Amino acid sequence: MRPTLPLLEVTDFPALRRDRLDTLQVNLGYLCNQTCVHCHVNAGPNRTELMALETVDEVLDTLRAMRIANLDLTGGAPEMNQHFRYLVQEAHALGVHVMDRCNLTILEEPGYEGLAEFLSEHQVEIIASLPCYLEENVDSQRGKGVFEKSILALRKLNGLGYAQAGSGRLLNLVYNPLGPTLPPPQEALEADYKQMLSERHGIVFNRLYTLANMPIKRFGSMLVSTGQFRDYMRLLRAAHRVDNLEGVMCRHLLSVDWQGHLYDCDFNQMLGLPLHIEGKPRPHLRDLVGRDLAGNPIVVKDHCFGCTAGQGSSCGGALA
C-alpha cells in the first residue's frame, strides 16, 4: 500500500471552521466481506480492527449526553461488528436517527439471517453501495457475483417496506465512479438508476448519492502505482467550486474510529489526521462531552478538493 498523505500535505485548500454538530459517524471496524478497488478504508475480510463493547457504550453515552440527532454507522461492513445490533437498538431507543452504510451483500451472507428484518424493525435508514446498475460494472469493481447478491438484497428490503410510500423506511443508493473521474450529475443519474432497476429488476429506492473517489488508501495507492495520482489531483483542483464549501459534511459531522478517537471526517480518519482540540493531540469520545466545537478549525489537506469538485461530494451525495 503506497502512502498518499505526503502527496497531500502541502495545500492551498480554503480554511474551514465547524458549525453545529448534528451527526456522529462511527466506524465500527475495517472488517468487510468485500474488497473494493475504490475503498478509501482499505477494508477487507482479513482486517481485525473492530470496535469493542466498552467503546460502543461510550458512543451511546455521547449521543445521550450531547443529544446528537443522527448516528451514521460505517466500516468496513459495520454489520460485521458483533455489537452492531446492540448499538442500533440502544440508539433507536434514545430517539436517534440511525443510518447504516451497507454494502448490500452482507444481507445475503451466512450468519446474518434476519439482519434485514432487524434493520426494518428499528427503522434504520439504509445507505447502500451500488456503483452501477449494470452487472459487469459492479462485479469489475467489487468482485464476481456482487451484483446478483445486491439485487437479491434490494428486493428483500423492498419487501420489508423500504422505499415504499408511507413506510418511513428510507433506502438510498450510492454511486462511485469506476476510475479517476468525477461523478456525473446526480439528478440525471438517479433517474437512470430508477428506470433501469425498476424495469429490469422491479426495485425501487428513494435517492441516489454520487460520491467522488478519494485519493487515499486503496484507491490513492492505485493512482500512485498507475501514474495517475497527479492528473487526478489536477482534475479535482480544477473543478473546485467555492460555493460547495458551505455544505461539506465536516462542518456538522464528527468521525469516530474503532477505538473511539475523533476526526473531522472519515477521510481524515484514514489519513491519521485527528480532530483539532487544544491540548488534546489525539482527542477521544471522552474528551467531547460538554464541549462546543462550533467555530473549531477543520483540518484540511489536498484531498479535501474531492469534496468540493464539480457538483460536490459528501456523505449525503452531491452538494450542488
Side-chain angles (χ1 to χ4, degrees):
M1 183 69 61
R2 296 176 181 242
T4 56
L5 181 57
L7 303 174
L8 301 168
E9 281 280 14
V10 178
T11 186
D12 57 354
F13 191 85
L16 286 175
R17 292 191 175 272
R18 301 190 63 86
D19 205 335
R20 182 179 60 85
L21 175 64
D22 64 23
T23 301
L24 206 60
Q25 186 176 74
V26 177
N27 192 311
L28 289 176
Y30 307 150
L31 179 65
C32 190
N33 61 317
Q34 295 183 17
T35 308
C36 301
V37 174
H38 73 281
C39 184
H40 71 273
V41 181
N42 194 29
N46 297 320
R47 299 299 296 264
T48 59
E49 303 92 334
L50 288 167
M51 183 174 284
L53 180 58
E54 178 184 6
T55 310
V56 168
D57 280 330
E58 289 183 301
V59 169
L60 290 167
D61 289 343
T62 303
L63 292 171
R64 187 180 298 109
M66 300 193 69
R67 299 182 179 180
I68 297 173
N70 303 300
L71 175 62
D72 187 346
L73 299 178
T74 185
E79 306 88 352
M80 295 184 78
N81 186 300
Q82 63 178 321
H83 308 301
F84 173 83
R85 296 195 190 201
Y86 165 70
L87 175 56
V88 169
Q89 185 172 315
E90 294 300 310
H92 178 70
L94 290 174
V96 173
H97 176 65
V98 182
M99 296 170 276
D100 176 26
R101 294 190 179 265
C102 179
N103 67 22
L104 291 175
T105 60
I106 193 67
L107 301 179
E108 297 298 311
E109 291 286 348
Y112 294 89
E113 294 83 4
L115 177 57
E117 290 79 5
F118 172 84
L119 296 171
S120 176
E121 178 187 350
H122 293 86
Q123 296 183 307
V124 175
E125 176 182 348
I126 295 178
I127 303 172
S129 303
L130 191 70
C132 190
Y133 46 72
L134 298 176
E135 182 172 8
E136 57 270 28
N137 288 346
V138 173
D139 285 3
S140 69
Q141 188 184 75
R142 305 203 147 202
K144 186 172 176 58
V146 167
F147 183 79
E148 182 181 359
K149 283 186 176 181
S150 298
I151 293 300
L152 290 173
L154 287 169
R155 285 175 176 156
K156 180 182 292 184
L157 293 171
N158 281 171
L160 290 166
Y162 274 95
Q164 306 297 337
S167 72
R169 289 165 176 79
L170 297 175
L171 172 59
N172 300 312
L173 302 184
V174 176
Y175 165 88
N176 292 88
L178 294 176
T181 59
L182 291 177
Q186 181 171 285
E187 187 174 344
L189 187 61
E190 178 180 292
D192 290 343
Y193 261 71
K194 287 189 171 180
Q195 180 181 352
M196 296 294 284
L197 290 177
S198 176
E199 290 180 355
R200 295 189 177 190
H201 307 286
I203 287 168
V204 294
F205 64 94
N206 295 103
R207 295 290 314 280
L208 176 73
Y209 297 154
T210 57
L211 304 184
N213 291 324
M214 278 290 169
I216 61 178
K217 288 294 181 178
R218 189 175 293 144
F219 185 72
S221 179
M222 181 276 290
L223 292 177
V224 174
S225 298
T226 57
Q228 300 178 88
F229 186 89
R230 296 193 184 282
D231 286 343
Y232 188 56
M233 288 307 306
R234 278 194 285 267
L235 172 68
L236 296 180
R237 293 172 64 90
H240 170 69
R241 289 178 54 176
V242 174
D243 51 346
N244 285 331
L245 292 170
E246 286 298 313
V248 289
M249 59 190 177
C250 53
R251 295 175 62 89
H252 57 82
L253 172 150
L254 264 185
S255 173
V256 184
D257 73 10
W258 64 280
Q259 295 176 303
H261 297 110
L262 304 176
Y263 306 81
D264 287 302
C265 70
D266 196 44
F267 307 125
N268 280 10
Q269 179 186 146
M270 294 306 117
L271 288 169
L273 301 170
L275 178 76
H276 175 80
I277 294 182
E278 198 69 39
K280 303 286 184 180
R282 200 180 179 200
H284 192 272
L285 277 166
R286 65 182 69 99
D287 300 314
L288 184 59
V289 175
R291 191 183 296 269
D292 183 7
L293 295 179
N296 204 60
I298 294 169
V299 178
V300 298
K301 301 294 179 186
D302 235 27
H303 66 290
C304 298
F305 284 105
C307 287
T308 60
Q311 61 183 337
S313 177
S314 76
C315 287
L319 302 175

